[in-house]
Amino acid sequence: MKIYVPRDAAARALGADAVAKALAAEAGRRGMDVEIIRNGSRGMVWLEPLVEIDRDGVRHAFGPMTPADVPGLFDGDGDKALGPTEDLDWMRRQTRLTFARCGVIDPLSLSDYEAHGGLTGLRRALGMGAEAIVEEVTASGLRGRGGAGFPTGIKWNTVRQADADQKYIVCNADEGDSGTFADRMIMEGDPFSLIEGMVIAGLGVGATQGYVYLRSEYPDAIDVMERAVDIARNNNVLGDVLHSGHHFDMEIRVGAGAYVCGEETSLLNSLEGKRGVVRAKPPLPALEGFLGKPTVVNNVISLATVPVIFERGAQHYADFGLGRSRGTVTLQIAGNVARGGLFETAFGVSLGEVVNDIAGGTLSGRPVKAVQVGGPLGAYLPVSKFDTPLGYEELDAQGGLIGHAGLVVFDDTADMRGLARFAMEFCAVESCGKCTPCRIGAVRGVETIDRIGQGDASAIPLLEDLCETMKDGSLCALGGFTPFPVMSALTHFPDEFAAAKEAAE
Amino acid sequence: MQPPQSTQNALAETDILAETDQIVSRHMTREGPLLPILHDMQDSFGHIPAAAIPRIADHLNLTRAEVHGVISFYHDFRDQPAGRHSLKICRSEACQAVGGAALSDHAKRRLGIDWHQTTEDGGITLEPIYCLGLCACGPAVLVDGDVVARVDADRLDTLIEGLSE
């Protein structure tokens, strides 16, 4: 009998290891022959640890499991039985392309990976030639999933056409945005998809070396990725790629706790062993990136989506989506929600449908007050904006960004002025210090919001002015986008900034 | 991720340098070896000993100031040993949405220290962390490299008691 117990960090943080141990012990007591597979997460975090039992090829879900529930699971279904996993509403409503294998396979079994479509895309790419590979990515409409939304194919083409003795593929796995965990989940649940995507990128642009810059806050993902790279190397996915004569190898590099290193030029400096200070652009990393060489810098989800584009064809992928946002978006529903987790769907679903319907409203049962979309640099959107479709341009029109597609839900107890202050404080802590609007502006921002808190209404226009300066004058998104959460809180919840004044009078 | 060790205070400088040479030699063939070197140094010593900085600089043909600049830039690297155990609490928005700030306040009160400080007995170092990727099951903490989710004040007390034993 096969039993699946996720090894995903969220499942482990909710007690999956203890459940796996109890399952093994109980099976031993009963003299049953069970194979416990530590898979990735299906993304239903509120049901973690979510255990699955394979019965005649159908996987039945049980959760959230505790060690005390284990005997019941062997006796019959127990009260944690949820039915077949694929029949669960959360699963049926999704379009899983990037995450098709996540939670399904053993993350560190290359044969399992291949049995579920893995390496099909790479084999196809090997027969295509560099130019055709890049054209395929362009035709898919894939845009950078890290937040900026730059067309991946155009970036690759710039690197492909650059003339250099060495080029690089750098994967940005510095997923520091609060409310985002898609990168972590795919690295822990389907690491070969990222590796395969990086190899295809290497073939497309003529790069032979790749790096994954992975944040130190993700010890589980580091462990899985390092083991997956070893397995890939031992099986010629890396090295002499599938004995094709094309060479590509890669290495996992661990960050050191600096949020700003998620910015691509700062990341490159960090990878080179320097302070993670932002570089001015131009030159673009595509032309002068890692060690001054042409470099593709892509987010984990962008690269992990490449294999399915080659497996099913660019058109299949491009057929999903809305406007210029093609394909699927891997929503991460987080914060104060009844049902949080990862939900992959075509672009265009509305914010309200995600929060109220899919996520089931707040965990506390209180009314939703605001949703921060796109991480700590994203806007706080009030309930009145719930008809906004989730897409790059659509969020931009609301004075926000889709970012890495994390949604953090807050109930009506949220202190919006406090959150605005936190955004400035975070920017001050994490600023690389290179440009003045960010380095000084964030500190002054905290002070100015404190003045508003003490009832000084004259500080409000000052805050607005400061935000304008930071937005226009900062070198990168950290200083440039910190005004989004601050200004959205001020614009949509003005009472909380004015109330401070009345209270002081 | 090993928990920082604070027992190497008495290490002789010659031992530090010998270990530094070994660590550096493991990474010299890498492109951009400084961060991997510093991570290994910290795993070995629990911090980056000041005596090692000129040695690392020498090997990599950098100035001492450059190496110091890198160490001081990153939150992970310490120039002093930490406590025997490490407790990191997520301060990010998703954890704030489910009581993260109150949990941080509780931890500070309970341990009698502020962020970046170590309890008087050298037992626990308390640090903020900005996102563990456990945003759908916050508040989240990292205890000696192990992730724990949905932590409230009682749960945190239990975790802290577990570390004191």
Side-chain angles (χ1 to χ4, degrees):
Chain A
M1 183 160 71
K2 279 186 180 173
I3 303 182
Y4 295 83
V5 186
R7 57 167 305 139
D8 180 274
R12 292 192 57 227
L14 293 166
D17 290 353
V19 171
K21 222 169 128 186
L23 281 164
E26 186 69 20
R29 258 194 298 279
R30 294 175 186 233
M32 292 171 72
D33 183 24
V34 301
E35 183 190 358
I36 295 177
I37 297 163
R38 300 303 299 268
N39 57 338
S41 170
R42 294 279 196 155
M44 294 172 279
V45 176
W46 80 100
L47 294 176
E48 295 288 2
L50 181 118
V51 172
E52 291 173 275
I53 295 184
D54 192 322
R55 284 188 196 137
D56 307 322
V58 177
R59 280 161 70 161
H60 294 258
F62 300 83
M65 286 288 289
T66 65
D69 297 321
V70 166
L73 185 138
F74 283 105
D75 288 335
D77 280 351
D79 57 359
K80 296 292 174 79
L82 302 164
T85 314
E86 298 294 342
D87 290 349
L88 294 172
D89 188 50
W90 180 274
M91 298 304 296
R92 289 162 62 115
R93 292 175 69 174
Q94 293 185 68
T95 303
R96 287 212 163 198
L97 298 178
T98 308
F99 276 78
R101 281 178 294 262
C102 189
V104 176
I105 63 167
D106 175 349
L108 291 171
S109 163
L110 194 58
S111 54
D112 221 1
Y113 179 69
E114 280 197 79
H116 288 80
L119 301 184
T120 310
L122 175 58
R123 290 202 174 89
R124 183 171 160 235
L126 278 168
M128 284 174 77
E131 198 174 347
I133 289 174
V134 174
E135 274 170 15
E136 185 81 357
V137 174
T138 307
S140 75
L142 180 67
R143 293 168 70 181
R145 296 286 187 256
F150 189 81
T152 307
I154 293 178
K155 189 184 277 185
W156 286 22
N157 205 35
T158 309
V159 178
R160 184 183 72 80
Q161 290 178 326
D163 186 27
D165 55 347
Q166 177 75 57
K167 300 176 186 178
Y168 295 100
I169 308 297
V170 171
C171 171
N172 184 345
D174 197 42
E175 183 180 52
D177 287 352
S178 168
T180 65
F181 43 85
D183 296 356
R184 180 184 65 64
M185 272 186 59
I186 200 98
M187 288 189 289
E188 290 171 1
D190 189 16
F192 294 121
S193 68
L194 173 58
I195 294 171
E196 184 180 349
M198 288 180 71
V199 177
I200 295 173
L203 296 172
V205 306
T208 53
Q209 177 67 34
Y211 291 97
V212 178
Y213 186 90
L214 216 172
R215 58 201 302 262
S216 63
E217 292 87 343
Y218 284 178
D220 293 78
I222 294 166
D223 177 52
V224 176
M225 280 307 302
E226 281 183 338
R227 292 206 268 158
V229 166
D230 282 344
I231 294 167
R233 198 176 287 134
N234 292 334
N235 290 278
N236 276 91
V237 175
L238 294 170
D240 178 7
V241 178
L242 302 179
H243 305 287
S244 64
H246 290 282
H247 186 86
F248 188 83
D249 208 337
M250 61 187 278
E251 197 184 303
I252 307 300
R253 284 292 178 86
V254 179
Y259 173 76
V260 75
C261 288
E263 196 282 333
E264 60 177 359
T265 62
S266 159
L267 183 153
L268 291 170
N269 274 338
S270 184
L271 204 56
E272 290 178 9
K274 298 173 183 159
R275 290 165 68 88
V277 173
V278 172
R279 298 177 185 170
K281 288 192 276 195
L284 293 171
L287 297 172
E288 291 180 38
F290 182 57
L291 300 173
K293 303 293 185 184
T295 303
V296 168
V297 185
N298 276 153
N299 169 258
V300 174
I301 298 300
S302 312
L303 287 164
T305 299
V306 168
V308 74
I309 290 171
F310 281 81
E311 182 193 339
R312 309 247 184 114
Q315 195 55 47
H316 179 81
Y317 191 76
D319 282 344
F320 297 97
L322 166 78
R324 288 173 51 218
S325 306
R326 307 314 309 169
T328 55
V329 56
T330 51
L331 297 172
Q332 299 129 83
I333 307 168
N336 197 329
V337 276
R339 295 190 292 270
L342 185 124
F343 192 93
E344 182 174 355
T345 185
F347 279 101
V349 60
S350 78
L351 180 59
E353 185 184 347
V354 174
V355 174
N356 290 328
D357 189 17
I358 296 168
T362 62
L363 176 69
S364 60
R366 302 179 67 94
V368 175
K369 182 174 193 176
V371 182
Q372 188 177 30
V373 184
L377 307 176
Y380 286 102
L381 297 178
V383 177
S384 60
K385 300 283 183 191
F386 268 20
D387 55 354
T388 308
L390 294 172
Y392 291 101
E393 279 71 35
E394 290 71 17
L395 263 302
D396 188 54
Q398 295 297 339
L401 56 137
I402 194 162
H404 194 44
L407 310 175
V408 178
V409 179
F410 292 83
D411 72 9
D412 62 350
T413 61
D415 165 14
M416 300 313 293
R417 183 163 46 79
L419 287 165
R421 185 190 191 277
F422 179 80
M424 284 291 190
E425 187 193 352
F426 181 69
C427 182
V429 171
E430 298 296 336
S431 175
C432 83
K434 179 153 177 164
C435 71
T436 314
C438 173
R439 183 185 68 243
I440 308 286
V443 177
R444 295 291 169 262
V446 172
E447 294 166 0
T448 310
I449 294 171
D450 282 345
R451 273 175 59 187
I452 297 169
Q454 285 152 13
D456 181 355
S458 71
I460 290 178
L462 210 58
L463 180 65
E464 291 168 343
D465 192 46
L466 176 66
C467 282
E468 277 303 306
T469 305
M470 288 176 70
K471 214 155 91 182
D472 296 337
S474 297
L475 259 181
C476 82
L478 178 52
F481 290 179
T482 293
F484 282 145
V486 175
M487 286 307 299
S488 60
L490 182 61
T491 308
H492 299 308
F493 304 94
D495 292 358
E496 299 199 23
F497 291 78
K501 177 172 171 261
E502 284 155 20
E505 276 167 356
Chain B
M1 299 291 109
Q2 292 298 312
Q5 298 291 315
S6 59
T7 47
Q8 277 99 345
N9 292 354
L11 262 188
E13 193 173 316
T14 49
D15 294 335
I16 291 175
L17 295 181
E19 176 83 13
T20 303
D21 289 345
Q22 274 203 4
I23 288 172
V24 171
S25 68
R26 279 210 293 273
H27 297 292
M28 274 308 274
T29 56
R30 291 177 193 262
E31 297 175 305
L34 185 51
L35 257 63
I37 289 171
L38 293 177
H39 275 301
D40 277 8
M41 292 289 296
Q42 183 137 312
D43 284 348
S44 287
F45 299 104
H47 69 294
I48 317 273
I53 293 176
R55 191 66 155 236
I56 296 170
D58 226 28
H59 281 297
L60 300 186
N61 199 21
L62 297 169
T63 66
R64 276 180 291 167
E66 283 170 316
V67 176
H68 172 78
V70 171
I71 294 168
S72 61
F73 183 87
Y74 296 96
H75 299 309
D76 282 3
F77 300 134
R78 313 182 57 89
D79 56 5
Q80 296 292 324
R84 287 186 298 279
H85 299 285
S86 148
L87 175 62
K88 297 184 181 187
I89 302 180
C90 180
R91 283 195 70 199
S92 291
E93 290 86 346
C95 285
Q96 284 189 45
V98 283
L103 183 71
S104 296
D105 290 343
H106 175 81
K108 292 179 192 174
R109 265 197 316 274
R110 156 90 201 219
L111 297 171
I113 52 176
D114 206 341
W115 295 126
H116 307 293
Q117 294 180 345
T118 302
T119 51
E120 222 161 72
D121 63 354
I124 298 174
T125 300
L126 178 67
E127 279 172 307
I129 194 162
Y130 296 95
C131 199
L132 292 160
L134 305 173
C135 317
C137 48
V141 306
L142 192 67
V143 187
D144 285 345
D146 287 325
V147 284
V148 191
R150 279 197 205 114
V151 181
D152 58 12
D154 288 347
R155 188 84 200 282
L156 191 75
D157 286 345
T158 311
L159 289 169
I160 289 172
E161 277 153 27
L163 294 179
S164 318
E165 280 162 8

